[in-house]
Amino acid sequence: MTQSNNDAQNPSNEFTGTQSYIATDDLQLAVNAAITLQKPLLIKGEPGTGKTLLAEEVAQSLGMPLITWHIKSTTKAEQGLYEYDAVSRLRDSQLGDDKVYDINNYIKPGKLWEAFTSDERSVLLIDEIDKADIEFPNDLLHELDKMSFYVYETGETITADKRPVVIITSNNEKELPDAFLRRCFFHYIDFPDEQTMRQIVDVHFPGIQEKLVNDALDIFYKLRNLQGLKKPPSTSELVDWLTLLLADDMAQQELEENLRGEKSIPPLYGALLKNEADITLLQRFANMMRR
């Protein structure tokens, strides 16, 4: 008997991380628990901790197509199901276009429809759900629970033959409704400790000099621990900073001078700190340390 594409990619059908994504044991457990329970996996964590990337890596690991629905402040729940273009149909009827007799010509399937009718079991990412209106999660309760919805214009019910793996991310900008939370398996991605961060750096920069990593991480974690920062630097910003350091020998020298106390602030700090208040705080702190 031949293996399916999914089985060939991952015979155990369990997520264990990938070569390009370091997943902690707790995160692996959460992904696999949500798959077993057939519940949406709700992922929270600081920006830059790999929430969105997780869905891409789960899809790759399990050999499934990825369907992504990026949520904005104006996004409505029904857009994930389908949209009916009544205006175009009215215009076409006025022009005498024969396609008005088939209402399907004016129905645009949404991301849930796409995931429910996919030929293969898919991973559905609902990204940054907390950006939408507070009622948005409640408006999807039935659809995500029963994996089906009714199309009023055609009288058909769209049901998932192959239940997708649903991953939902949130940056905690607003509280999500209790009824929605009850239907999810929840996991908070903790910020990586230094050992995990070294693994992440190794993935992005194979063969990087250990001294450069040691120096960079020393400054990076000191910055993150600086009291009063509005936005502590994230993993993605560390990766950007290391990319710049590797491209500039002078910056590496300045990095060493900063650690020895000869320079007040680290080189290329604009890759790490993203607002003027944090930069001012860093400069003030550096001046105090030099006195």
Side-chain angles (χ1 to χ4, degrees):
M1 189 171 74
T2 59
Q3 287 182 311
S4 68
N5 288 339
N6 289 4
D7 292 339
Q9 183 95 6
N10 188 339
S12 66
N13 212 35
E14 286 192 353
F15 177 67
T16 57
T18 67
Q19 289 185 339
S20 58
Y21 189 92
I22 303 299
T24 63
D25 291 343
D26 286 345
L27 180 55
Q28 294 176 39
L29 182 64
V31 171
N32 293 318
I35 293 173
T36 299
L37 293 172
Q38 297 189 339
K39 286 178 176 286
L41 174 62
L42 175 61
I43 294 288
K44 291 186 179 183
E46 284 185 36
T49 50
K51 299 186 297 296
T52 301
L53 186 59
L54 172 65
E56 299 174 15
E57 299 300 326
V58 169
Q60 177 188 325
S61 173
L62 302 181
M64 298 179 184
L66 175 66
I67 298 169
T68 301
W69 186 17
H70 293 294
I71 306 303
K72 302 178 181 178
S73 59
T74 56
T75 304
K76 301 300 180 185
E78 57 266 24
Q79 293 174 310
L81 309 180
Y82 67 93
E83 293 182 85
Y84 170 52
D85 191 351
V87 174
S88 292
R89 193 180 189 203
L90 176 61
R91 184 186 64 243
D92 288 344
S93 68
Q94 293 169 339
L95 295 173
D97 195 320
D98 287 343
K99 74 177 187 178
V100 299
Y101 297 111
D102 185 356
I103 198 170
N104 289 295
N105 290 322
Y106 305 94
I107 291 178
K108 179 184 177 182
K111 296 298 183 178
L112 268 72
W113 186 322
E114 185 181 341
F116 289 3
T117 58
S118 174
D119 292 336
E120 302 175 70
R121 191 182 185 193
S122 61
V123 174
L124 171 63
L125 169 63
I126 303 177
D127 198 27
E128 299 189 329
I129 194 172
D130 53 324
K131 281 190 174 179
D133 183 83
I134 189 63
E135 289 304 318
F136 179 92
N138 280 337
D139 291 341
L140 290 175
L141 287 180
H142 172 83
E143 289 77 11
L144 291 177
D145 193 25
K146 303 299 182 183
M147 289 289 163
S148 71
F149 61 89
Y150 184 72
V151 183
Y152 292 94
E153 289 77 7
T154 63
E156 64 181 318
T157 298
I158 304 299
T159 302
D161 291 331
K162 299 179 178 66
R163 193 179 183 98
V165 176
V166 181
I167 296 178
I168 302 170
T169 70
S170 169
N171 284 324
N172 236 3
E173 291 183 9
K174 61 171 69 81
E175 288 295 322
L176 299 174
D178 289 343
F180 178 79
L181 294 174
R182 283 196 298 271
R183 288 166 169 80
C184 297
F185 190 94
F186 172 75
H187 182 74
Y188 185 90
I189 298 182
D190 290 317
F191 194 83
D193 58 22
E194 188 169 332
Q195 181 180 354
T196 304
M197 191 64 83
R198 287 179 183 277
Q199 293 178 282
I200 293 171
V201 170
D202 285 342
V203 165
H204 287 276
F205 306 101
I208 188 173
Q209 286 186 340
E210 186 176 355
K211 185 180 186 312
L212 176 58
V213 175
N214 291 340
D215 291 349
L217 289 182
D218 188 355
I219 289 179
F220 176 77
Y221 279 102
K222 283 179 180 176
L223 271 181
R224 278 193 56 84
N225 293 328
L226 189 60
Q227 293 297 314
L229 280 187
K230 289 187 175 181
K231 187 189 179 304
S234 68
T235 306
S236 60
E237 285 150 355
L238 172 64
V239 170
D240 288 345
W241 189 45
L242 281 169
T243 300
L244 293 173
L245 290 173
L246 284 169
D248 189 340
D249 291 337
M250 289 299 296
Q252 293 182 39
Q253 182 179 329
E254 289 180 28
L255 185 68
E256 295 177 11
E257 292 171 355
N258 178 262
L259 285 168
R260 292 196 300 265
E262 298 169 16
K263 292 277 187 178
S264 58
I265 57 176
L268 302 166
Y269 59 83
L272 296 171
L273 301 179
K274 299 303 175 74
N275 65 69
E276 59 275 18
D278 286 348
I279 292 172
T280 300
L281 178 65
L282 172 62
Q283 291 170 335
R284 187 182 304 126
F285 179 77
N287 289 335
M288 288 173 57
M289 295 300 292
R290 293 182 68 185
R291 290 173 187 166

